[in-house]
Amino acid sequence: MNRVKLHNKYFKLFIDAESIQSAISKIAEIINKDYKEKSPIFIGVLNGSFLFTADIVRKFKSNCEISFIRLSSYSGTESSGNVLEVMGLNEDIKGRDVLILEDIVDSGNTLVKIVDLLKKKQPKSLKIATFLFKPNAYKKDIPVDYVAMEVGNEFLVGYGLDYDGLGRNLEDIYIIEE
Ligand code: IMP
Ligand code: MG
């Protein structure tokens, strides 16, 4: 498919599935070396990173655990809509080597929140791998340790990324048509 329509917008083919897989193979090789003896916990951030997580862990050749988290607005008594908590982490990550797997890092706001929340659980190490990185949009100081592909600021869909819920199932990446 060269062009897809999601809701009211059109998107055109931008990165094909083969290029995605070859970029992922490259960082998977480095992750394999860095985590060989560590029995890491890979933590995928839902929903976007489900495909990236599946591809990375299938290429990881040593022992590892796999878990998923989701960020959700804090539902306690505080009324601020900005407070987030991490949902779904059942594993004790204290003293463990943790690698966060993200679909895309844009401004970095989401990442900073995840890192702050997970650091409180005292992992031995905490690193970040992302499928896509938007360097011109990134506003934070935390280093992004593993990046499969760098892209511009345009809005993308496919391979886990959605436009208002649609497009996550596409095996290629598509870019919005202006
Ligand atoms: P942040 O700005 O780094 O916090 O990114 C916030 C979230 O925005 C990401 O986790 C994605 O869910 C979403 N996002 C950012 N850029 C794109 C894009 O190009 N396509 C689809 N979702 C995006
Ligand atoms: Mg996301």
Side-chain angles (χ1 to χ4, degrees):
M1 268 184 302
N2 278 317
R3 196 172 191 235
V4 294
K5 186 182 186 206
L6 305 173
H7 299 295
N8 57 338
K9 292 200 191 303
Y10 288 92
F11 297 81
K12 63 185 176 201
L13 185 60
F14 184 55
I15 306 169
D16 65 29
E18 209 177 305
S19 309
I20 292 172
Q21 290 306 321
S22 98
I24 288 174
S25 294
K26 281 182 197 147
I27 64 162
E29 203 176 306
I30 304 167
I31 292 169
N32 260 301
K33 280 190 195 131
D34 292 355
Y35 285 88
K36 199 172 179 171
E37 309 292 336
K38 295 192 161 152
S39 199
I41 303 188
F42 295 120
I43 300 183
V45 183
L46 292 172
N47 290 328
S49 80
F50 72 110
L51 291 177
F52 179 54
T53 303
D55 281 340
I56 288 288
V57 302
R58 275 183 291 189
K59 291 181 167 71
F60 189 72
K61 301 304 177 199
S62 314
N63 286 345
C64 65
E65 290 174 51
I66 299 150
S67 190
F68 289 93
I69 56 171
R70 180 191 288 274
L71 276 187
S72 124
S73 294
Y74 180 61
S75 54
T77 51
E78 301 285 322
S79 58
S80 164
N82 258 339
V83 184
L84 293 177
E85 62 179 352
V86 167
M87 306 278 298
L89 188 66
N90 301 318
E91 291 73 12
D92 185 7
I93 63 168
K94 189 172 179 178
R96 299 293 304 273
D97 290 299
V98 174
L99 183 61
I100 299 167
L101 299 174
E102 264 283 25
D103 52 348
I104 186 163
V105 175
D106 186 337
S107 69
N109 289 336
T110 310
L111 186 62
V112 163
K113 277 165 191 149
I114 293 170
V115 167
D116 283 351
L117 291 163
L118 292 186
K119 267 195 178 154
K120 290 187 185 139
K121 299 180 187 290
Q122 300 175 282
K124 181 176 174 200
S125 70
L126 183 61
K127 287 190 172 187
I128 301 133
T130 187
F131 167 52
L132 295 177
F133 182 51
K134 292 183 170 174
N136 300 326
Y138 193 59
K139 301 275 189 298
K140 305 293 178 183
D141 298 324
I142 311 177
V144 182
D145 304 280
Y146 307 94
V147 174
M149 292 184 140
E150 290 193 352
V151 290
N153 286 353
E154 296 84 3
F155 190 79
L156 307 173
V157 294
Y159 192 70
L161 297 167
D162 71 304
Y163 168 52
D164 204 6
L166 298 181
R168 295 193 196 277
N169 56 312
L170 299 165
E171 62 175 348
D172 309 295
I173 296 280
Y174 292 79
I175 189 166
I176 195 155
E177 282 183 6
E178 297 304 340

